[in-house]
Amino acid sequence: MLIHILHRLAIALCVAVTVSIVSFLLLHLSGDLATAIAGSEASAAQVEAIRVQLGLDRPMLSQYIDWLGRAVQLDFGRSFYFQADVMQLIAERLPITMKLGSIALLLATVVAIPLGVLAAIYRDTWLDRIALALAVVGQAMPSFWFGLGLILIFSVTLHWLPVAGNERWENFVLPAIALAYYAMPAMMRLTRAGMLEVLGSDYIRTARAKGLAKSKVIFKHALRNAVIPVVALAAVELGFMLGGSVVIESVYSMQGLGQLAWDAISRNDYPVVQAVVLIIAMFYIGLTFLADVINALLDPRIRIR
């Protein structure tokens, strides 16, 4: 198991370095940063002065090493548009995004696991078909479209919930549902598949032959084994939710990390874009590694060596 975890850690570090290179190069390959910062009406001397000030006249490798060294220390410079420290902006917005992602993950788990269990117990019935249909629709439907539909129904038509903001708990209901519905299909299908596999195993048939109650067989013996991969998937889904919050927060005008990224992209605020992309990617890589560790700890086929 230790070798397996170290192998996964090495992969995670390689992916992290690759992400840092890509996030650095994409912004530099999108055009002349100095010209974009100075504006189209700036003179050549002004553009060159900005290029020298920001170190853009140095070799690309030197720029990357310098940027990565500061990024490791959580120093991403100052925002061009907000005129504030980038890390300070992220620290102010990150709690909102984490709160939204946590609520959405909890909601997805509470709905998806029971639905997957019921779909497995009542396999090939109308309940199973409805659950699979919901999973297919959830995977095919764009999250922003679903979010706009929720606004149209619950905010515009029924006037039950607010359209935008993040001041009250009501503001998190609709965006959390929109994010949760994106993660529910995979969790539901995995729970269903795991339950079907476990329910057909020998020890479940033995438990039934002993006369144990159906509820005890399902929840004590079957579910506790079928839900193991779902726990690992939940960690990965949280990473997806943090990335998907860019769209959802823009739809609901929530002042989180996603809205910050949207504002930075629309205003060519390159330091903020780089920082947000890198931080969200690191969250996702870390959560994926955590999922691998959970699988390694719970998988009986992986032994300590």
Side-chain angles (χ1 to χ4, degrees):
M1 182 177 66
L2 181 59
I3 295 176
H4 176 81
I5 293 176
L6 290 176
H7 175 68
R8 292 296 184 180
L9 179 60
I11 294 176
L13 291 175
C14 291
V15 173
V17 172
T18 303
V19 168
S20 69
I21 293 173
V22 171
S23 62
F24 176 81
L25 291 180
L26 281 179
L27 295 179
H28 282 69
L29 295 177
S30 61
D32 187 356
L33 291 181
T35 302
I37 295 170
S40 57
E41 299 181 358
S43 64
Q46 291 174 323
V47 172
E48 185 62 26
I50 292 176
R51 183 176 289 109
V52 173
Q53 179 184 357
L54 298 179
L56 300 175
D57 56 332
R58 295 183 299 159
M60 191 70 70
L61 179 60
S62 299
Q63 294 182 47
Y64 169 72
I65 294 175
D66 180 59
W67 173 79
L68 183 61
R70 288 185 287 106
V72 170
Q73 304 175 47
L74 300 181
D75 178 12
F76 297 98
R78 289 184 62 82
S79 165
F80 297 155
Y81 174 77
F82 295 98
Q83 291 299 310
D85 183 76
V86 173
M87 200 57 212
Q88 180 181 352
L89 291 172
I90 292 175
E92 293 172 355
R93 306 290 189 96
L94 184 59
I96 297 174
T97 300
M98 293 298 296
K99 181 178 180 181
L100 175 61
S102 300
I103 296 174
L105 180 63
L106 178 62
L107 181 61
T109 304
V110 168
V111 175
I113 292 180
L115 194 60
V117 171
L118 291 174
I121 295 173
Y122 301 100
R123 182 181 184 182
D124 295 330
T125 64
W126 63 270
L127 181 60
D128 185 23
R129 293 187 181 94
I130 290 177
L132 291 177
L134 290 174
V136 171
V137 173
Q139 288 180 322
M141 184 184 301
S143 58
F144 73 89
W145 192 90
F146 184 61
L148 291 174
L150 292 176
I151 291 176
L152 181 62
I153 296 172
F154 294 101
S155 298
V156 178
T157 304
L158 299 176
H159 303 287
W160 287 357
L161 294 166
V163 176
N166 50 258
E167 294 81 11
R168 300 175 298 166
W169 67 267
E170 294 95 333
N171 296 110
F172 288 86
V173 175
L174 294 183
I177 293 174
L179 269 181
Y181 192 53
Y182 175 78
M184 280 171 49
M187 298 177 69
M188 191 278 293
R189 292 169 70 96
L190 186 60
T191 303
R192 178 183 180 273
M195 283 294 295
L196 289 175
E197 181 180 355
V198 172
L199 289 174
S201 60
D202 293 336
Y203 75 92
I204 293 296
R205 285 193 290 268
T206 302
R208 286 172 173 168
K210 289 181 177 180
L212 295 179
K214 183 178 180 180
S215 59
K216 188 173 183 179
V217 172
I218 291 173
F219 294 105
K220 184 176 180 180
H221 296 281
L223 182 58
R224 64 188 300 178
N225 291 304
V227 81
I228 290 174
V230 181
V231 174
L233 177 63
V236 178
E237 289 295 340
L238 179 58
F240 276 120
M241 289 177 180
L242 295 179
S245 66
V246 174
V247 176
I248 295 300
E249 288 181 9
S250 300
V251 171
Y252 290 94
S253 297
M254 302 185 72
Q255 299 304 310
L257 201 60
Q259 183 65 44
L260 178 64
W262 181 265
D263 293 337
I265 292 171
S266 60
R267 294 177 173 88
N268 295 327
D269 198 342
Y270 299 109
V272 175
V273 175
Q274 283 182 317
V276 172
V277 169
L278 187 63
I279 287 176
I280 290 179
M282 292 303 108
F283 264 112
Y284 179 74
I285 293 170
L287 290 170
T288 304
F289 174 70
L290 177 62
D292 288 333
V293 172
I294 293 174
N295 277 331
L297 292 174
L298 299 178
D299 193 338
R301 295 169 298 178
I302 302 177
R303 304 297 181 186
I304 299 176
R305 286 190 278 175

